[in-house]
């Protein structure tokens, strides 16, 4: 199969995307890299059972919030293949200035901050737990044993203790 995308130096037929939700849960789904971003949005709607009708999809690094215009782009064109993590935040991204709320209404911005904070700590926890628990290999360093006579029994010189 001919790979039409080399913009990011990656050629992949699949896009494995992990979705992280505000409640701390996460789910991973594999898409075709030629699927539109709309397929990822539809997956979130189906996974949440319609409980989250309005939400924002974003990546943490590089930080990018996906807009309605991005829904018509392929996952590989958006740099989400071969794998990516998308944060799902409740709310709706403003697309023009007519959507702005009145200056006295700060409840939405407070809610946005309250959802961003757990997402930030969730990302840090995932990073730390990956460092601490991600490796199944354990390294053991043997210390030289000492016999009752004071001699070392490690692989090396055997010398009496002076």
């Amino acid at each position: 199969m001919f790979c039409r995308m080399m913009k990011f130096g990656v050629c992949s037929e699949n896009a494995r995307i992990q979705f992280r939700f505000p409640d701390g849960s996460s789910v991973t789904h594999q898409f075709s890299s030629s699927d539109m971003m709309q397929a990822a949005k539809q997956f979130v709607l189906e996974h949440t059972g319609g409980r989250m009708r309005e939400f924002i999809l974003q990546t943490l690094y590089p930080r990018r919030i996906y807009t309605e215009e991005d829904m018509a782009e392929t996952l590989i064109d958006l740099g989400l293949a071969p794998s990516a993590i998308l944060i799902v935040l409740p709310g709706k991204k403003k697309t023009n200035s007519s959507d702005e709320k009145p200056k006295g209404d700060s409840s939405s911005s407070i809610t946005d901050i309250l959802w961003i904070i757990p997402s930030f700590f969730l990302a840090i926890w995932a990073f730390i737990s990956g460092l601490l628990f991600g490796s199944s290999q354990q390294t053991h360093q043997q210390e030289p044993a000492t016999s009752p006579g004071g001699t070392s029994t490690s692989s090396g010189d055997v010398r009496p203790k002076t």
Side-chain angles (χ1 to χ4, degrees), residues 80-137:
L80 299 174
S83 65
I85 298 173
L86 287 177
I87 307 299
V88 181
L89 296 173
K92 184 153 180 78
K93 177 71 178 153
K94 293 175 183 59
T95 54
N96 59 38
S97 60
S98 65
D99 288 338
E100 289 184 24
K101 55 186 181 291
K103 290 187 180 197
D105 184 13
S106 64
S107 63
S108 179
S109 62
I110 291 171
T111 305
D112 292 345
I113 291 171
L114 290 176
W115 282 110
I116 290 173
I117 291 171
S119 297
F120 173 74
F121 286 111
L122 178 65
I124 290 174
W125 172 250
F127 176 74
I128 292 172
S129 64
L131 288 175
L132 296 176
F133 308 114
S135 176
S136 63
Q137 296 178 346

Side-chain angles (χ1 to χ4, degrees), residues 17-39:
I17 299 179
Q18 181 184 48
F19 297 91
R20 294 191 181 164
F21 295 93
D23 65 357
S25 65
S26 66
V27 65
T28 301
H29 187 76
Q30 188 163 316
F31 299 90
S32 170
S33 61
S34 60
D35 285 348
M36 300 295 168
M37 183 67 164
Q38 180 65 36

Side-chain angles (χ1 to χ4, degrees), residues 16-89:
R16 184 175 179 264
I17 299 179
Q18 181 184 48
F19 297 91
R20 294 191 181 164
F21 295 93
D23 65 357
S25 65
S26 66
V27 65
T28 301
H29 187 76
Q30 188 163 316
F31 299 90
S32 170
S33 61
S34 60
D35 285 348
M36 300 295 168
M37 183 67 164
Q38 180 65 36
K41 183 177 180 180
Q42 186 63 37
F43 176 80
V44 171
L45 286 170
E46 290 171 6
H47 180 74
T48 60
R51 289 185 305 268
M52 290 182 67
R53 289 201 164 92
E54 292 186 358
F55 56 88
I56 298 168
L57 294 174
Q58 76 173 32
T59 54
L60 290 178
Y61 185 80
R63 188 170 195 289
R64 178 173 180 180
I65 297 174
Y66 295 94
T67 63
E68 287 300 318
E69 291 81 26
D70 293 324
M71 297 302 137
E73 296 287 327
T74 64
L75 297 173
I76 199 163
D77 288 339
L78 293 171
L80 299 174
S83 65
I85 298 173
L86 287 177
I87 307 299
V88 181
L89 296 173

